[in-house]
Amino acid sequence: MLLTAFLALPASALFVVVYVSLLETVVKGNKIAAWLLTAASLAVVVTLSLLVWLRYRRDRQIGLLIALVAAAAIWLWGRHLWEAVASTLLPHYEGLKPAERAQAVGQYRLAVIQACAAAGGVIALLYTARNYRLIRRGQVTDRLSKALERLESQEEFVRVGGVIALQQIIHDAPAQAGHVTHIIRTFIRRRAPRAERGAPRGVQAAASGLLLPHEYTSSGPEEPAADVQTALTALNTRRAKLYASRIDLSGCHLAGAQMFRQHLVRAQLSGAVLTDAVLARAALKGASLEKCDLRRVWATKSRCHHAQMEGADLRAALFFEADMVDCDLTGADLRHTELSRADLQLATLRGAKLSGARLVSTDLTRADLTGATAEEEPVRLDRSCLDQARLNNAVLRNASLIGARLRGADLTDADLTGADLTGADLRTARGLTADQLLAAGSIEKARLDPALHAACRRGGQETGAAAGGPVGQGVQP
């Protein structure tokens, strides 16, 4: 606030100079006004750049403020200062009358005194700025020490106050943001309970209301403690996000955590329990989520590209419109997972469980679904893009592929028994046989290769499928 008030008047005058110079240049073609306009525009750019930098480097604002004032003074009075300094350093008394010489000597002495006073003022100002920085640094250290003492308290509300104090230090002292962020991450690892697997419990209700079999259930609390949640929120502030990446929360129990827009780039979350957590719009690029419990997680529009999710449990999770490009989901449990309109290009879903999953309008271009299974309940892949996807040995029984695109997809030995291929684009699909299509539930209006279409016709006639078999009358070559 002080910096803004100090710069308001000079900034207003600078903009007035720019406006007047622009009028003089455009209307009258004044060259001096054009030069002044160029200099003033450069000064505006430099000033705005310094203000933006000061927004993130408040600990250096005094030194930069002095530099800015000095630059403005040199720009406004530089020529006059140079004339005064030149006449002081190189006085010329030849040819002067006695009265003129006495006057010149007086001016010389006055200039020396003024130069010494100016130098003293600059030194005093620098010394004041140095003292200010030392005092402020000491205040930050005292605040940090008190906050650390609160973190060791046995009372939860005292620990919450300590975390809030650390969050305020991150805002007030950006130079210490990295160290304080490290302290908060360590606090979360120490206070969060360890993830443990409980005994089998039969079935449990999912967010959609369906009863899902749970082989194991987590035995920890359903939501994190208040101090842990406050620490997670502190890491989600604007300045803390610069240092919050690569956080290590492996094996932590954080069920029900509120991490909306959380910055978890390249985070270590292997084996962590995040059931019912809120990760909407979270940044999980390159995060390690191997064998992580992500059941019923709300991760709408999250950015999970290049994330490692091998063996993760994502049952009944919500990844609507999520960015999961090149995500490794090998062996992941995706039963009843909502992946509609998600971006799964180049994703690896080898051996993934897709029973009851929804992948409506999902982009699976060049995805690897080798050995993926959907045996218990059909998977929905309506209007999904599976161009050049690998579906070798995939079990997609009774799957819904209405309007799906499978151009160049590899369907070698894929089980399409009872699958609904209505309107699916199967042109140029590789490894697709007439037997697979005859076993499908419906291929009405499906787009097929002409040779494969003819083979299906012949096979349908031989088995009597023309009267309502899987080979409908609307198959398009």
Side-chain angles (χ1 to χ4, degrees):
M1 185 64 68
L2 179 62
L3 180 62
T4 304
F6 185 84
L7 294 177
L9 185 60
S12 302
L14 194 59
F15 278 108
V16 170
V17 170
V18 171
Y19 179 72
V20 174
S21 301
L22 181 62
L23 291 179
E24 290 286 334
T25 303
V26 175
V27 178
K28 300 182 180 179
N30 193 332
K31 294 183 178 181
I32 298 177
W35 178 87
L36 186 61
L37 175 63
T38 303
S41 301
L42 182 61
V44 169
V45 172
V46 172
T47 303
L48 292 177
S49 301
L50 287 174
L51 287 175
V52 172
W53 193 30
L54 288 175
R55 186 73 177 86
Y56 297 93
R57 297 288 183 182
R58 293 196 176 194
D59 56 327
R60 300 182 180 180
Q61 62 183 4
I62 298 299
L64 287 177
L65 186 59
I66 294 173
L68 184 62
V69 172
I74 292 174
W75 180 63
L76 293 174
W77 302 294
R79 184 171 60 87
H80 304 288
L81 291 174
W82 170 249
E83 291 177 355
V85 171
S87 61
T88 301
L89 298 178
L90 301 172
H92 299 281
Y93 302 132
E94 294 81 2
L96 295 179
K97 297 179 180 180
E100 295 175 348
R101 183 182 179 89
Q103 184 179 3
V105 171
Q107 291 178 351
Y108 175 76
R109 293 174 178 173
L110 180 61
V112 171
I113 295 173
Q114 290 176 347
C116 292
V122 171
I123 293 173
L125 195 59
L126 292 176
Y127 184 76
T128 303
R130 177 178 176 275
N131 288 340
Y132 171 81
R133 294 189 62 182
L134 290 175
I135 293 172
R136 184 176 180 180
R137 187 177 300 174
Q139 292 175 347
V140 171
T141 303
D142 292 340
R143 292 169 58 187
L144 182 59
S145 300
K146 294 179 180 178
L148 292 177
E149 292 176 0
R150 293 181 180 179
L151 295 183
E152 296 295 330
S153 175
Q154 299 299 321
E155 300 292 338
E156 185 177 67
F157 70 91
V158 178
R159 295 195 298 270
V160 171
V163 174
I164 295 175
L166 291 177
Q167 181 180 355
Q168 191 63 40
I169 291 174
I170 293 175
H171 182 271
D172 295 339
Q176 304 297 327
H179 305 295
V180 178
T181 303
H182 177 70
I183 293 172
I184 296 176
R185 289 186 298 183
T186 305
F187 174 78
I188 295 174
R189 285 196 298 270
R190 289 183 56 186
R191 297 299 307 178
R194 304 304 300 174
E196 296 180 0
R197 294 289 185 178
R201 287 193 181 178
V203 295
Q204 203 172 51
S208 59
L210 298 174
L211 293 179
L212 304 178
H214 280 194
E215 299 173 0
Y216 293 96
T217 56
S218 57
S219 58
E222 296 182 357
E223 60 182 17
D227 52 350
V228 175
Q229 181 60 64
T230 305
L232 290 171
T233 305
L235 289 179
N236 204 27
T237 56
R238 180 169 54 87
R239 288 191 176 90
K241 285 182 178 181
L242 300 175
Y243 308 96
S245 61
R246 296 188 179 182
I247 184 174
D248 187 1
L249 297 174
S250 302
C252 292
H253 185 97
L254 295 170
Q258 301 294 316
M259 294 188 283
F260 181 74
R261 293 183 181 271
Q262 195 82 27
H263 189 75
L264 296 169
V265 176
R266 295 185 295 277
Q268 297 294 325
L269 294 163
S270 302
V273 175
L274 293 167
T275 54
D276 299 297
V278 176
L279 287 165
R281 298 180 182 270
L284 289 159
K285 178 181 178 181
S288 179
L289 294 157
E290 295 92 343
K291 298 181 179 179
C292 187
D293 191 345
L294 296 166
R295 288 172 296 165
R296 302 180 300 278
V297 162
W298 182 26
T300 302
K301 295 184 179 180
S302 58
R303 300 182 298 278
C304 307
H305 42 290
H306 307 295
Q308 304 298 316
M309 297 185 180
E310 298 95 327
D313 190 348
L314 292 93
R315 283 176 288 177
L318 181 61
F319 281 85
F320 184 77
E321 293 186 352
D323 181 2
M324 304 178 75
V325 175
D326 199 19
C327 188
D328 193 346
L329 289 158
T330 302
D333 193 342
L334 296 166
R335 287 177 287 179
H336 299 277
T337 302
E338 177 63 71
L339 289 163
S340 297
R341 299 178 65 178
D343 191 349
L344 282 160
Q345 298 183 61
L346 301 171
T348 303
L349 292 94
R350 287 176 171 266
K353 298 178 182 179
L354 298 173
S355 297
R358 285 176 53 89
L359 293 97
V360 179
S361 301
T362 301
D363 191 351
L364 288 156
T365 304
R366 299 177 64 184
D368 188 355
L369 288 91
T370 303
T373 59
E375 298 176 343
E376 301 169 4
E377 298 182 44
V379 58
R380 293 198 59 181
L381 289 159
D382 302 338
R383 299 183 302 279
S384 293
C385 181
L386 288 156
D387 293 345
Q388 300 181 20
R390 292 187 290 276
L391 291 157
N392 315 59
N393 301 305
V395 180
L396 301 174
R397 296 174 186 171
N398 301 315
S400 179
L401 288 156
I402 300 174
R405 288 177 47 183
L406 293 104
R407 298 177 185 175
D410 190 351
L411 292 165
T412 304
D413 297 326
D415 188 352
L416 299 173
T417 303
D420 190 350
L421 297 170
T422 302
D425 190 350
L426 294 163
R427 295 174 294 181
T428 69
R430 295 173 291 144
L432 183 62
T433 63
D435 293 335
Q436 289 174 303
L437 293 173
L438 291 172
S442 172
I443 56 173
E444 184 181 355
K445 297 183 180 180
R447 300 180 182 181
L448 302 174
D449 181 82
L452 190 59
H453 175 225
C456 290
R457 285 290 187 182
R458 289 194 300 270
Q461 291 173 359
E462 293 175 358
T463 59
V471 184
Q473 301 297 325
V475 178
Q476 298 181 6

